[in-house]
């Protein structure tokens, strides 16, 4: 939940590290800090709040050091404060560490260290690591890091530097991200590639328990016994431009506009010349798919709403029973799982702690696991029987947009693939769906380039002062309503609830009175008339209706106060289009309220703690 960056090279590292932190700010931004190894020892700097506050103090740090570590924090243990900001140092100030994740047994370790006379200056779980290294150090930082690591329980990535070894940076990971960057005479460790993308695209993805030793002559990887390991150097195809805003005022707006490309890329090579769906790497043969008795989809937040679209599609097209489970609940229940069950884990980051735990549980119970993720090399890809990658590209905005669309497309492709394998759809039927799917990126491009986003912005600004929104939908419109409500909550902080429209009369309708804004996903569907009855119930309470409707639907003109049209498509594919005006609506409500949409309060992009 935090961002880590480390550097060893020939250049003064202060500004390089800071630039790396800027790229990782989406991972956490309640405090930040940096430690640089110099001739006089380890010099550190900390600041509360976002990175602007650290930047204002940077001149206080020796600009000449060429080895250092830095951290941007999302608080778990200990409130955001200068004392709790990383890097943490030991009693002597000779060692500095940064940590992402949680040290679950820190209280016991801290107690022991205190009894031994160590002096703590923070409330964090991470500080124990600096003292463990101090205690173990006998001339090798690598060895001391390993000894500390072996005493720690939980899931974390840690990086350490030592005054006595001014040419070395050591990192180790356990179930949280760490990537090494290999530049020209300079080397990096970071939580994510964008931290060093300006300097290199050559990377190593260490495995769990790999000890990464970064020195002036290169990066070496060892196991915990000190045995050298071979890890492949890979080239990432993101360029720095992809990690920038490309002219948009925010990452979120840029990412909304990247959705047609996210869909095209995710679809590429997965629809064959005959119109059939071709999915590689699932780890499931046609016979396996035929043998499935049911599917359990585990995910969190936005990914779980993509899972709900998957449920409707798998039930309708592949005739498979599907449950969608919030991973944080699923992992602590006693779900019934067996070898006939497929667990599909959906996670854009592939690092969400609850989703990973649910995957492990499903595997342990004998179920097969298929991960749908956007991040190559993420933890989810290492703990699964098969992977279906979305190809949305890097998403920086904390509020997911393009990754959601890519997930929805992935589950639709998967459902079609399963439908064919199970004999519930012939190639002609599949082709008619895939032909329509192929049209969607173009339809969405046309929508985003039209006047429609400006119209959504205008409507959003008119309702931005509302104290409450309700979102309604039915069938494929329900996950869209839920995702729209989450976007409003996340970035505008306006209380918003989503309901299945038919459920409203069982309670939520009591919330409505004159002027209450109700967003209704009213695109074409077999239950459109039923939905219109629900809309009439809303209107009878004086509420104002903002409808998302299929282009050409004139019947809403007398019913809705505002109509946000989207291109017409098949109902099952409609979430790919209908969610976009709701993303934009949430965006412009937040903007009108003066909120920072890329960094919503209390949230982090990747939730690597439970
Ligand atoms: C989406 O806008 C949210 N930031 C959040 O709900 C997110 O979808 C959730 O934390 C799951 O993340 P994942 O897809 O990386 O597992």
């Amino acid at each position: 939940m935090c961002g880590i960056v480390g550097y060893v090279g020939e250049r003064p590292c202060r500004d390089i590290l800071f630039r790396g932190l800027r790229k990782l700010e989406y991972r956490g931004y309640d405090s930040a800090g940096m430690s640089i190894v110099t001739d006089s020892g380890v010099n550190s700097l900390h600041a509360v709040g976002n990175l602007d506050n650290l930047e204002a103090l940077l001149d206080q740090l020796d600009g000449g050091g060429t080895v250092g570590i830095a951290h941007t924090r999302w608080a778990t243990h200990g409130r955001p404060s200068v004392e709790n900001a990383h890097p943490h140092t030991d009693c002597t100030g000779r060692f500095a560490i940064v940590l992402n994740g949680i040290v679950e047994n820190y209280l016991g370790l801290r107690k022991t260290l205190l009894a031994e006379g160590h002096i703590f200056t923070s409330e964090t779980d991470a500080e124990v690591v600096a003292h463990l290294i101090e205690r173990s150090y006998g001339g090798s930082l690598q060895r001391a890091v390993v000894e500390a690591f072996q005493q720690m329980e939980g899931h974390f990535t840690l990086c350490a530097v030592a005054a006595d070894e001014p040419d070395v940076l050591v990192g180790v990971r356990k179930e949280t991200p760490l990537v090494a960057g290999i530049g020209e005479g300079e080397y990096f460790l970071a939580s994510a590639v964008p931290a060093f993308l300006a300097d290199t695209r050559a990377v190593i993805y260490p495995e769990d328990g790999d000890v990464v030793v970064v020195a002036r002559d290169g990066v070496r990887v060892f196991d915990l016994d000190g045995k050298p390991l071979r890890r492949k150097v890979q080239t990432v195809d993101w360029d720095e431009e992809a990690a920038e805003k490309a002219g948009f005022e925010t990452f979120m707006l840029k990412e909304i506009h990247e959705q047609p490309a996210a869909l095209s890329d995710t679809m590429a090579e997965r629809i064959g010349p005959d119109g059939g769906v071709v999915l590689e790497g699932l780890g499931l043969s046609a016979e396996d798919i035929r043998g499935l008795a049911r599917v359990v989809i585990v995910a969190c937040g936005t990914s779980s709403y993509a899972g709900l679209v998957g449920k409707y599609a798998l039930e309708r097209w592949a005739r498979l029973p599907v449950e969608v489970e919030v991973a944080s609940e699923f992992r602590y229940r006693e779900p019934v799982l067996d070898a006939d069950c497929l667990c599909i884990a959906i996670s854009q980051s592939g690092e969400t702690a609850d989703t990973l735990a649910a995957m492990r549980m499903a595997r342990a119970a004998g179920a097969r696991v298929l991960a749908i993720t956007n991040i190559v090399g993420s933890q989810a890809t290492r703990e699964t029987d098969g992977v279906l990658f979305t190809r949305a590209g890097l998403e920086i905005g904390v509020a997911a947009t393009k990754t959601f669309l890519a997930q929805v497309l992935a589950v639709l492709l998967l459902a079609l693939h399963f439908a064919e394998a199970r004999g519930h759809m012939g190639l002609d039927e599949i082709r008619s769906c895939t032909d329509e799917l192929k049209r969607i990126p173009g339809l969405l491009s046309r929508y985003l380039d039209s006047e429609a986003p400006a119209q959504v912005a205008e409507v959003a600004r008119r309702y931005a002062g509302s104290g409450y929104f309700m979102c309604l939908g039915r069938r494929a419109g329900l996950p869209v309503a839920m995702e729209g409500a989450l976007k409003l909550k996340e970035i505008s902080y306006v209380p918003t609830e989503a309901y299945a429209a038919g459920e409203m009369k069982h309670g939520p309708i009591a919330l409505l009175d004159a002027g209450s804004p109700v967003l209704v996903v009213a695109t074409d569907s077999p239950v459109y008339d039923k939905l219109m009855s629900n809309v009439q119930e809303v209107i009878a309470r004086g509420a104002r209706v903002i409808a998302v409707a299929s282009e050409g639907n004139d019947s809403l003109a007398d019913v809705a106060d505002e109509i946000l049209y989207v291109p017409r498509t098949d109902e099952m594919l409609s979430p790919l289009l209908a969610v976009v005006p709701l993303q934009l609506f949430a965006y412009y409500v937040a903007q009108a309220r003066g909120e920072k949409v890329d960094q919503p309060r209390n949230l982090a992009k990747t939730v690597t703690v439970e």
Side-chain angles (χ1 to χ4, degrees), residues 228-542:
L229 298 169
R230 286 173 73 91
R231 295 283 178 248
K232 204 166 79 187
V233 179
Q234 304 182 37
T235 305
V236 293
D237 54 12
W238 299 332
D239 56 19
E240 203 188 357
E241 180 71 14
E244 301 294 347
K245 290 180 195 154
F248 289 93
E249 59 192 13
T250 60
F251 283 113
M252 184 176 170
L253 195 57
K254 169 177 161 275
E255 287 156 5
I256 288 172
H257 282 264
E258 287 172 344
Q259 293 184 113
L263 293 178
S264 299
D265 291 348
T266 299
M267 214 178 294
E269 301 147 18
R270 287 167 170 166
I271 297 176
D274 62 355
V277 174
V278 186
L279 298 178
E280 308 278 350
L282 299 183
L284 291 163
S285 65
E287 198 182 331
D288 293 334
I289 295 167
R290 280 192 288 277
L292 291 174
R294 68 193 179 100
V295 170
V296 175
I297 297 177
V298 293
C300 301
T302 288
S303 298
S304 72
Y305 304 141
L308 204 50
V309 178
K311 170 184 167 74
Y312 294 176
L314 282 161
E315 286 176 353
R316 178 167 153 193
W317 289 336
R319 305 303 298 149
L320 258 171
V322 183
E323 299 145 58
V324 181
E325 302 272 359
V326 172
S328 56
E329 281 299 306
F330 179 83
R331 64 179 292 194
Y332 288 117
R333 296 210 321 268
E334 288 88 44
V336 181
L337 298 160
D338 53 35
D340 297 339
C341 173
L342 173 68
C343 172
I344 302 177
I346 308 179
S347 172
Q348 78 79 20
S349 63
E351 303 286 350
T352 299
D354 286 322
T355 306
L356 293 173
M359 290 170 69
R360 286 176 199 131
M361 197 167 129
R363 274 187 119 188
R368 284 168 192 272
V369 174
L370 170 66
I372 297 180
T373 184
N374 198 46
I375 305 293
V376 176
S378 62
Q379 192 63 25
T381 65
R382 299 156 192 235
E383 302 195 32
T384 184
D385 301 305
V387 188
L388 177 54
F389 285 108
T390 52
R391 300 178 189 135
L394 187 63
E395 186 174 74
I396 301 279
V398 169
T401 53
K402 62 176 180 170
T403 55
F404 173 71
L405 248 66
Q407 289 170 341
V408 170
L409 174 59
V411 294
L412 292 174
L413 289 171
L414 193 71
L416 290 170
H417 180 65
F418 279 23
E420 189 178 18
R422 293 169 67 83
H424 290 290
M425 278 172 99
L427 188 56
D428 285 349
E429 278 177 288
I430 304 259
R431 190 185 307 113
S432 112
C433 289
T434 53
D435 282 349
E436 185 60 14
L437 267 179
K438 285 194 271 186
R439 288 178 65 231
I440 301 276
L443 293 176
L444 187 50
S445 267
R446 196 193 79 204
Y447 173 85
L448 288 167
D449 292 341
S450 73
E451 294 300 308
Q455 186 224 347
V456 177
E458 191 197 317
V459 174
R461 285 180 196 124
R462 266 190 272 131
Y463 290 86
S466 303
Y468 173 73
F469 289 103
M470 186 180 278
C471 297
L472 300 177
R474 296 188 82 140
R475 288 182 42 129
L478 178 58
V480 175
M482 294 170 98
E483 174 60 4
L486 183 64
K487 292 291 88 96
L488 271 161
K489 280 182 271 212
E490 281 186 298
I491 61 171
S492 74
Y493 315 142
V494 181
T496 305
E497 285 167 289
Y499 289 101
E503 182 66 8
M504 210 193 23
K505 63 176 87 62
H506 300 289
I509 199 165
L511 289 165
L512 301 181
D513 55 20
S516 302
V518 179
L519 292 138
V520 183
V521 183
T523 42
D524 294 353
S525 118
V527 289
Y528 180 81
D529 291 341
K530 305 271 178 208
L531 180 73
M532 284 305 109
S533 303
N534 304 135
V535 169
Q536 290 301 337
E537 293 159 7
V538 165
I539 292 169
R541 272 74 195 176

Side-chain angles (χ1 to χ4, degrees), residues 5-86:
V5 57
Y7 177 88
V8 177
E10 291 157 4
R11 294 187 286 161
C13 67
R14 187 187 66 193
D15 296 344
I16 297 169
L17 289 173
F18 187 77
R19 199 178 58 207
L21 284 186
R22 278 279 184 218
K23 302 289 180 194
L24 299 179
E25 201 172 4
Y26 66 94
R27 299 179 66 87
Y29 35 81
D30 62 44
S31 56
M34 187 182 290
S35 291
I36 294 182
V37 186
T38 67
D39 293 343
S40 59
V42 177
N43 295 339
S44 299
L45 189 66
H46 304 96
V48 184
N50 68 24
L51 288 174
D52 294 346
N53 299 345
L54 184 71
E55 187 172 31
L57 302 177
L58 276 185
D59 285 346
Q60 295 176 19
L61 206 56
D62 182 337
T66 57
V67 174
I69 50 178
H71 187 271
T72 182
R73 180 170 186 247
W74 186 84
T76 56
H77 294 62
R79 74 210 139 80
S81 68
V82 167
E83 295 72 30
N84 290 336
H86 300 217

Side-chain angles (χ1 to χ4, degrees), residues 79 82 161 170 172 267 308 382 396 573 576 603-605 609:
R79 74 210 139 80
V82 167
V161 290
V170 179
V172 63
M267 214 178 294
L308 204 50
R382 299 156 192 235
I396 301 279
L573 279 46
L576 295 168
L603 297 178
K605 181 71 185 164
V609 293

